[in-house]
Amino acid sequence: IDRSGGVYLSGNTSITKLNFTNGNLYTGSYTLTIDPSQLSGEADGSYIVGTVKTTSQDLTTSATVFSNLGLTFPSTFSTGNSVTLIRTTGSGAAVTVSGNSGFDRVYQLDGTMTYTGFVTCDWFGSESSGRNLSKVAIHEFVSATSEWITRGPDAAATGSYSATSNVNTDVSSVSQIKYTITDDANPLPVELTSFTASVDDRTVTLNWETATEVDNYGFEIERNLVQENKEANWETLGFVQGSGNSNSPKEYSYVDESVFFGNYQYRLKQVDTDGKFEYFDVVEVQVGEVPTEYSLRQNYPNPFNPSTVIEFGLPETANVTLSVYNLLGEKVATLFSGNMEAGMHKVDFNANNLSSGIYIYSLEGQSVRITKKMMLMK
């Protein structure tokens, strides 16, 4: 490329070698594919503006496989030979993260990768759009939560427009990684100064405070019941309206009365007026204590029609069965049968197909048999 006005693609193009002398190569809505080792001479004012995709590469051969495109990995980055890099630059490529202004450069790696250590991202001065480079940050996209998280920097940007970011450690079987760069000198749209949770019987109260707010639409409250060997399953409980724009401290609270027993995690999803969002740190609380003996509580409501709730407690993990019988001793329903962890548990019972009358419900196991009566009134 040796043309001050630049060169423009008219379609998707694959080339074997590309050298820049003067002027940009604009891909527009198309993609340029090349072996990264065959690209040379990119500099501010002479580089690919748009989307460039590499041929498949093996990162185990060198940490600098993609360095000609501005991405360098640690020597501990390992993979097979089927990793490709898609780099998007130019207007429209910027990703704003947590209110911080994004540069016009995004990287996307596709393949199965394991990595530990540092990643270095390079960019050109024109891509920073004149922003203050005193505090540059690199961000990584987490596909599981669809959010960008800060991975650095460990040092401020240098005169050569390079920053280093500490990435995840010991991450295996990652099929896609994305990176973007921002000027982190701008304040966060919402500065959270505290976030706490307290428990009173079966009620959890969340309190949080902000120091400043910019375009804050509000907070979604999310909850996860921590269960052994199970992934987090976040559910949205409610929404608390934000204060929009504020330079003074604001206090917020939310009461969750739908907890039962166990370890619960809570997090805030702060939403801007334009729909952008970010997550704050997680708080965790313990609701209830592990029972010291087997117990079966009176169902509620009682009498009932047609549904009721039955609670029982286990001091240890046990194989138990919760059943319902009529007064003739005939089993009319099995509500649960199998292994259950220690703690308090509850089961919903719908008697829509049964007639009015008195029924007996029983908790049975190897070392326990407890029964109680309940009344169905239709």
Side-chain angles (χ1 to χ4, degrees):
I1 304 296
D2 188 5
R3 187 172 184 269
S4 59
V7 175
Y8 296 80
L9 289 187
S10 58
N12 294 326
T13 305
S14 296
I15 57 179
T16 56
K17 191 169 186 177
L18 177 61
N19 180 63
F20 283 91
T21 300
N22 183 30
N24 294 330
L25 172 60
Y26 298 93
T27 70
S29 60
Y30 304 108
T31 299
L32 176 72
T33 302
I34 189 174
D35 183 329
S37 66
Q38 300 302 309
L39 172 65
S40 62
E42 274 199 317
D44 208 353
S46 297
Y47 63 97
I48 300 170
V49 179
T51 303
V52 57
K53 180 179 180 180
T54 71
T55 54
S56 295
Q57 302 292 314
D58 183 355
L59 285 178
T60 59
T61 60
S62 171
T64 60
V65 168
F66 296 125
S67 59
N68 285 350
L69 285 168
L71 201 58
T72 306
F73 295 99
S75 57
T76 49
F77 199 116
S78 62
T79 181
N81 58 358
S82 59
V83 175
T84 59
L85 169 66
I86 298 175
R87 189 194 75 183
T88 305
T89 60
S91 178
V95 177
T96 299
V97 180
S98 299
N100 302 308
S101 302
F103 291 8
D104 293 336
R105 178 172 286 229
V106 176
Y107 305 93
Q108 176 178 314
L109 284 161
D110 292 313
T112 300
M113 297 154 274
T114 303
Y115 61 112
T116 302
F118 297 89
V119 60
T120 300
C121 299
D122 299 300
W123 63 93
F124 301 117
S126 58
E127 292 179 309
S128 68
S129 301
R131 298 185 181 94
N132 183 358
L133 300 180
S134 63
K135 192 176 181 182
V136 172
I138 296 174
H139 308 269
E140 180 184 344
F141 186 77
V142 180
S143 58
T145 57
S146 298
E147 61 180 327
W148 291 92
I149 58 176
T150 303
R151 290 302 188 195
D154 294 292
T158 67
S160 60
Y161 305 110
S162 176
T164 302
S165 171
N166 193 6
V167 302
N168 267 339
T169 58
D170 300 326
V171 178
S172 60
S173 299
V174 177
S175 59
Q176 187 180 90
I177 305 173
K178 292 182 183 180
Y179 294 108
T180 193
I181 311 159
T182 72
D183 167 19
D184 226 17
N186 296 326
L188 294 174
V190 174
E191 182 183 355
L192 192 74
T193 56
S194 66
F195 179 37
T196 61
S198 59
V199 181
D200 182 11
D201 192 18
R202 294 184 186 176
T203 299
V204 177
T205 301
L206 304 176
N207 293 288
W208 64 98
E209 183 175 344
T210 63
T212 59
E213 298 183 20
V214 178
D215 296 331
N216 179 25
Y217 178 62
F219 304 88
E220 288 185 6
I221 294 85
E222 297 185 357
R223 182 185 69 189
N224 169 55
L225 173 60
V226 180
Q227 301 181 69
E228 188 176 356
N229 299 323
K230 290 187 178 180
E231 295 184 359
N233 181 25
W234 293 98
E235 59 176 325
T236 301
L237 300 179
F239 180 82
V240 175
Q241 191 76 34
S243 299
N245 297 288
S246 173
N247 291 318
S248 60
K250 300 295 180 183
E251 296 181 351
Y252 300 92
S253 65
Y254 181 85
V255 178
D256 180 14
E257 297 179 312
S258 60
V259 293
F260 183 62
F261 172 88
N263 289 327
Y264 289 89
Q265 293 177 329
Y266 293 87
R267 67 182 183 184
L268 298 176
K269 179 181 179 181
Q270 184 272 315
V271 183
D272 295 342
T273 53
D274 61 0
K276 295 186 177 68
F277 63 87
E278 66 172 326
Y279 285 98
F280 292 116
D281 291 340
V282 173
V283 295
E284 185 169 329
V285 293
Q286 170 70 44
V287 179
E289 298 180 354
V290 177
T292 58
E293 60 182 6
Y294 289 93
S295 63
L296 181 63
R297 294 185 175 180
Q298 187 64 52
N299 64 301
Y300 62 92
N302 187 48
F304 66 98
N305 178 28
S307 297
T308 188
V309 176
I310 298 173
E311 296 183 4
F312 59 95
L314 305 179
E316 59 189 355
T317 299
N319 192 310
V320 295
T321 300
L322 182 64
S323 305
V324 179
Y325 299 86
N326 59 26
L327 291 180
L328 298 177
E330 298 170 332
K331 183 183 291 188
V332 297
T334 298
L335 305 184
F336 177 83
S337 182
N339 280 313
M340 185 166 280
E341 297 177 352
M344 291 300 301
H345 305 278
K346 63 179 178 180
V347 176
D348 295 323
F349 173 46
N350 189 310
N352 193 49
N353 62 335
L354 298 178
S355 58
S356 298
I358 296 176
Y359 291 87
I360 297 171
Y361 59 100
S362 174
L363 177 67
E364 301 172 72
Q366 184 176 358
S367 59
V368 62
R369 187 176 190 278
I370 309 174
T371 61
K372 285 186 179 296
K373 294 180 179 180
M374 58 184 172
M375 179 176 290
L376 172 62
M377 293 182 62
K378 293 187 174 181

